[in-house]
Amino acid sequence: MSNKTTSKANIRTKTKAESVTPRVALVLQGGGALGAYQAGVYHAMHENGLTPDWVVGTSIGAINAAIIAGNERDLRLSRLKEFWELVGHGDLMDMSKVSDSVRHFNTWWTTNDVTARGVPGFFAPRSPNPFVLGMPVAPEQASFYDTTPLAETLARLVDFKHLNSPGAMRLTVSAMKVACGSLVNFDSRDQQIGVEHIMASGALPPGFAPVRVDGELYWDGGLYSNTPLEVVLDDESKTDVDGNTLCVMVDLWSANGPEPATLDQITNRQKDVTFASRSERHIENYLRMYQLRRAAKALYDKLPPALRSKSDLKEFAGLNDNSTIHIVRLRYGGHDWNMPSKDINFSRGSIEWRWEQGYEDAMQARQRILANGETFGNSDAGLVVHELVMPPVS
């Protein structure tokens, strides 16, 4: 590891006249206990002075994002560590000193204990719970677990006054309306963000109950789209962004995998495919719109001034085709023995390993970027994906 720090100046975008620092966005998927990998990625960014201007998250990604955006810089990493240390489940033994088969058994044991007793500071079984017996309950109680402990943890670890103050890091979290199935993005740029918005983004049924926000019930945004990349792409296409955007996207699930042969492997593959990134589709849609915007702007610029001034054409004057989005993609590479319950594997050893892996992957990505001389400059393509594939790990 290296404690050497660098600033955003190391990845400045060169223009003809000057250097412009790109806007930095951090995009975090949902994935339960796998979210410790995201924390490790942020750890490396924090050490190297790459502070996000904007964090976008869903589910566990929303919790990590709220802790990052909802604290002053000198508290962000310590508050993030406090959360993951709090939710970590004690292991039967030191997982770094035993064989892989023993680690597998330890993970099985801790996961079953989490299922039975919950996670301190996160969720606890409802007792008594008529919902388990199929009886009707209030919608806010329609779940196996009570997430009141998480609400208390967020209230303690996230400074919502700071989060909602002018000039604070922008935060966007996604949730899905239960009544109609539409995705809603709660954005600190447009509204005051509170505990309920973060809770709504992580309310995955039937484990967790929906959360009511302004009279509407919401479930986990991952049910609609588990990778909120489209939030960044839509923002870029709707606004006249001055300069480029560097988007660090952290994937926790893999759409690619071997053919399953056991029930566990099938269930694991199903969950991976369900929650894996749909970023390729979002990127294709963005590129189509980008090309259309460029063509429309080019045609508008060729019109005589008299036609340009017409009210129905004025919106074309604001079209921007000079900025580029650079997506640096980091993928969690842990196989977790093909366990379908890997997202509730809060084993402390597993959490520590995931955090360390996220840190190492991000540091390797930084070294590759520097070695390749990447400047994240303008591109006629409008969007460039830096697919930094890491070696497989177990």
Side-chain angles (χ1 to χ4, degrees):
M1 295 184 190
S2 171
N3 292 321
K4 183 179 179 181
T5 60
T6 55
S7 67
K8 289 184 190 178
N10 284 336
I11 52 170
R12 297 177 81 87
T13 300
K14 300 293 183 180
T15 64
K16 291 182 180 180
E18 59 183 354
S19 295
V20 178
T21 302
R23 175 178 68 162
V24 178
L26 177 60
V27 175
L28 305 175
Q29 271 189 344
L34 305 181
Y37 179 83
Q38 299 171 341
V41 170
Y42 173 75
H43 184 176
M45 294 175 66
H46 184 90
E47 275 195 4
N48 289 280
L50 188 60
T51 302
D53 301 292
W54 182 17
V55 193
V56 185
T58 295
S59 198
I60 194 65
I63 294 173
N64 281 332
I67 295 172
I68 294 168
N71 284 289
E72 298 280 0
R73 188 184 190 282
D74 59 349
L75 289 174
R76 288 171 191 155
L77 194 56
S78 62
R79 291 280 170 86
L80 206 56
K81 287 181 177 178
E82 186 176 347
F83 172 78
W84 285 102
E85 287 172 358
L86 174 66
V87 300
H89 189 292
D91 294 314
L92 293 172
M93 69 287 290
D94 185 346
M95 289 180 67
S96 66
K97 297 180 179 179
V98 295
S99 66
D100 189 64
S101 61
V102 176
R103 285 195 294 270
H104 190 180
F105 172 78
N106 176 83
T107 299
W108 173 86
W109 179 82
T110 56
T111 301
N112 278 280
D113 197 52
V114 162
T115 303
R117 298 197 296 169
V119 174
F122 201 154
F123 58 89
R126 293 186 183 276
S127 181
N129 190 4
F131 174 77
V132 176
L133 302 176
M135 299 172 63
V137 296
E140 293 88 343
Q141 297 176 359
S143 64
F144 299 142
Y145 299 98
D146 178 11
T147 53
T148 300
L150 176 60
E152 296 169 352
T153 298
L154 288 171
R156 179 168 54 85
L157 295 182
V158 179
D159 182 348
F160 286 95
K161 183 178 179 180
H162 170 77
L163 174 62
N164 292 301
S165 64
M169 185 185 298
R170 182 180 173 187
L171 171 68
T172 306
V173 298
S174 302
M176 190 192 77
K177 277 189 179 182
V178 174
C180 63
S182 62
L183 189 70
V184 175
N185 296 310
F186 301 118
D187 195 322
S188 64
R189 185 187 60 180
D190 305 321
Q191 64 187 109
Q192 294 283 304
I193 300 295
V195 170
E196 67 276 15
H197 300 98
I198 313 304
M199 297 284 289
S201 182
L204 184 64
F208 302 155
V211 175
R212 198 174 295 277
V213 179
D214 297 329
E216 294 277 1
L217 282 175
Y218 290 89
W219 270 331
D220 192 309
L223 292 173
Y224 185 97
S225 176
N226 198 42
T227 305
L229 175 64
E230 68 268 31
V231 177
V232 177
L233 301 181
D234 288 348
D235 186 78
E236 189 85 8
S237 64
K238 292 176 183 176
T239 59
D240 186 12
V241 177
D242 183 15
N244 299 331
T245 296
L246 171 59
C247 177
V248 179
M249 184 172 72
V250 187
D251 284 352
L252 300 178
W253 306 89
S254 176
N256 300 314
E259 295 179 352
T262 67
L263 178 59
D264 270 0
Q265 291 173 0
I266 289 171
T267 308
N268 178 63
R269 188 89 284 272
Q270 180 186 29
K271 187 176 281 189
D272 263 337
V273 171
T274 299
F275 293 114
S277 173
R278 302 293 184 268
S279 58
E280 286 80 7
R281 183 188 65 199
H282 300 315
I283 288 170
E284 289 172 3
N285 291 339
Y286 176 83
L287 290 174
R288 277 196 293 268
M289 292 302 299
Y290 177 85
Q291 295 299 331
L292 287 173
R293 291 203 314 273
R294 289 197 70 176
K297 185 64 164 59
L299 290 172
Y300 176 82
D301 290 342
K302 292 180 180 180
L303 293 175
L307 287 177
R308 288 189 205 176
S309 62
K310 287 189 174 183
S311 59
D312 58 343
L313 296 177
K314 284 184 178 179
E315 63 181 281
F316 289 99
L319 289 177
N320 173 40
D321 63 353
N322 296 319
S323 63
T324 300
I325 300 178
H326 289 267
I327 298 175
V328 173
R329 188 173 188 174
L330 294 170
R331 301 173 186 261
Y332 171 64
H335 298 309
D336 297 275
W337 302 284
N338 287 309
M339 295 176 68
S341 58
K342 59 190 175 184
D343 52 331
I344 57 170
N345 169 21
F346 284 89
S347 152
R348 184 162 288 115
S350 296
I351 285 175
E352 290 173 354
W353 182 90
R354 289 166 182 153
W355 184 302
E356 184 67 20
Q357 195 62 44
Y359 178 90
E360 294 294 343
D361 285 356
M363 293 296 286
Q364 286 185 38
R366 174 181 176 272
Q367 292 301 324
R368 293 182 187 190
I369 287 168
L370 293 177
N372 293 336
E374 297 283 0
T375 59
F376 300 106
N378 289 337
S379 168
D380 290 339
L383 186 150
V384 180
V385 178
H386 304 262
E387 191 69 57
L388 301 171
V389 179
M390 300 301 164
V393 293
S394 59

